[in-house]
Amino acid sequence: MTAATAVAAVMVGAASLPAAAAGQHPVRLHHGVVYISGVRHEASRADHSNRTLNKEWVDVTNGSRRVVNLDHWTLSDPNGHTYTFHHVRLAGGATVRVHTGVGKDTRTDLYQDRRMRVWDRNADIATLRNDRGRVVDTVSWGVREHRRDGAGWHHGSLRHPDAGHHRGDHRR
């Protein structure tokens, strides 16, 4: 996508660098229309300043040419941290960045208004669900396994911490 196309296409979001170009770890294998295109988690566990929290984010991209209404979609982790999109329309080809900290929402950046970190540096799973609660995409990194039982999430050595894995509804 050229810069001119990105500017013309923006209702919400802007053209985003691929995760690898942005220095991010998750790797995209394939994706559906709307997908998690990048994740950044901050290394400092001790610093909970708003500046540091806003350096932690998840990018959500619309890979289609049509506007997608994200109203009531959610972005969550396995620990129950859930962000709900309100009044967000994502233009075709556009990306919106969801920051952890406090800020003023714009067309390209949304803020969860949290005072504590959400995304674990070593291992975590980001899940994007539509307004019906259906999983649209997931991205995982580190060593957290993808299974759940009554004891909660289990840890194992599934992959190198710099690798990522996507799963979602890839039907169009």
Side-chain angles (χ1 to χ4, degrees):
M1 172 185 297
T2 67
T5 306
V7 170
V10 172
M11 285 182 76
V12 173
S16 164
L17 291 173
Q24 302 312 305
H25 301 297
V27 176
R28 169 131 315 273
L29 302 174
H30 50 81
H31 55 76
V33 173
V34 177
Y35 58 95
I36 298 169
S37 57
V39 174
R40 180 172 181 191
H41 40 78
E42 274 302 292
S44 174
R45 291 183 188 269
D47 182 5
H48 293 286
S49 70
N50 194 55
R51 181 178 177 155
T52 298
L53 291 174
N54 283 330
K55 289 180 182 178
E56 180 178 274
W57 47 257
V58 174
D59 280 345
V60 176
T61 298
N62 178 358
S64 76
R65 294 182 181 182
R66 295 186 177 159
V67 173
V68 174
N69 184 356
L70 299 181
D71 198 28
H72 301 292
W73 285 43
T74 61
L75 181 63
S76 62
D77 76 344
N79 295 322
H81 301 107
T82 301
Y83 171 76
T84 302
F85 293 83
H86 293 289
H87 311 292
V88 177
R89 293 173 51 88
L90 190 58
T95 297
V96 66
R97 181 164 286 176
V98 181
H99 300 271
T100 298
V102 176
K104 183 175 178 2
D105 291 348
T106 68
R107 295 185 328 176
T108 59
D109 294 277
L110 302 173
Y111 296 86
Q112 296 188 47
D113 295 334
R114 294 185 183 277
R115 306 263 186 229
M116 299 293 286
R117 297 169 34 88
V118 171
W119 308 111
D120 185 12
R121 177 177 181 247
N122 296 321
D124 215 337
I125 302 169
T127 301
L128 180 67
R129 294 179 188 272
N130 66 17
D131 58 345
R132 295 183 187 113
R134 185 176 193 180
V135 173
V136 173
D137 195 18
T138 63
V139 175
S140 64
W141 57 95
V143 295
R144 188 178 295 248
E145 289 189 17
H146 298 255
R147 59 192 175 114
R148 184 169 168 87
D149 65 14
W153 290 95
H154 297 271
H155 297 273
S157 57
L158 289 178
R159 58 185 47 84
H160 186 275
D162 289 346
H165 176 73
H166 288 261
R167 182 189 72 75
D169 183 358
H170 304 294
R171 294 173 287 171
R172 295 191 181 227

